[in-house]
Amino acid sequence: MEITRTTLGIAAGIAGTIFLGYCVYFDQQRRKDPLFKKKLRERRQRAQQNSSRSRTLGGPLPDLSDHEAMQRFFLQQIQLGEELLAAGDLEAGVEHLGQAVTVCGQTQQLLSVLQQTMPAPIFHLLLKKLPEVSERLRANIKASGNELQEEDVE
């Protein structure tokens, strides 16, 4: 018995139809579940809370003249950025990494390390958002009065 292309095509069509019916049936069963909408709402609320929480996790800006506080802030931003990227929250992760790059004293070295360790699309997103993050951080520094004064520089 020889299998022809026609027989193979018909078998593939039937298998596809059965799979599609299976998907439709279980989707209907899921939607009929009385707890489905409640679970969906809760999941969306948690995602929204996590998103808004991650945007404010950077905390207050440290005193720019305190080297240790700046170093803690830098390390905190790196850690938060990595955790958020690992959790799949790319926007917030890139935001925190951008803040770390902005306050870093050796920006080029940090960017080269990040380029080697991060996937290319995420690194390009970081480069794209870096001017925006930098400007927002500068505005926050000016608003908080944390700006370096001329007498602070020796």
Side-chain angles (χ1 to χ4, degrees):
M1 178 173 166
E2 194 173 309
I3 299 177
T4 63
R5 281 187 170 180
T6 309
T7 308
L8 197 56
I10 291 173
I14 290 172
T17 304
I18 290 172
F19 178 72
L20 189 60
Y22 173 82
C23 291
V24 168
Y25 171 76
F26 280 104
D27 185 53
Q28 285 180 350
Q29 292 297 324
R30 178 181 59 102
R31 289 176 186 257
K32 285 180 186 176
D33 182 14
L35 298 177
F36 171 71
K37 288 185 179 181
K38 181 181 177 186
K39 289 178 186 177
L40 187 62
R41 265 189 234 109
E42 288 174 358
R43 189 179 314 136
R44 286 180 181 164
Q45 277 182 333
R46 272 196 314 269
Q48 186 178 15
Q49 286 173 350
N50 286 343
S51 175
S52 64
R53 184 178 143 255
S54 66
R55 297 236 186 267
T56 60
L57 276 180
L61 294 173
D63 182 12
L64 294 177
S65 60
D66 185 0
H67 180 70
E68 289 180 21
M70 287 299 288
Q71 190 173 13
R72 279 193 305 272
F73 180 76
F74 168 77
L75 292 173
Q76 178 188 31
Q77 296 307 305
I78 292 285
Q79 183 180 10
L80 285 171
E82 289 175 349
E83 288 174 1
L84 291 167
L85 287 176
D89 192 352
L90 298 181
E91 291 291 323
V94 166
E95 175 85 18
H96 287 287
L97 288 174
Q99 288 181 5
V101 169
T102 301
V103 299
C104 180
Q106 300 171 341
T107 305
Q108 292 303 319
Q109 288 86 350
L110 178 60
L111 284 174
S112 71
V113 169
L114 290 174
Q115 183 178 18
Q116 293 170 2
T117 58
M118 291 171 60
I122 296 174
F123 182 73
H124 290 299
L125 180 63
L126 173 65
L127 291 179
K128 202 168 150 183
K129 288 190 68 109
L130 200 54
E132 173 189 327
V133 171
S134 178
E135 188 59 40
R136 190 174 324 120
L137 199 58
R138 280 193 198 108
N140 287 345
I141 289 171
K142 285 181 182 179
S144 68
N146 236 356
E147 209 172 349
L148 277 178
Q149 301 299 322
E150 195 145 329
E151 61 268 7
D152 291 340
V153 182
E154 291 183 15

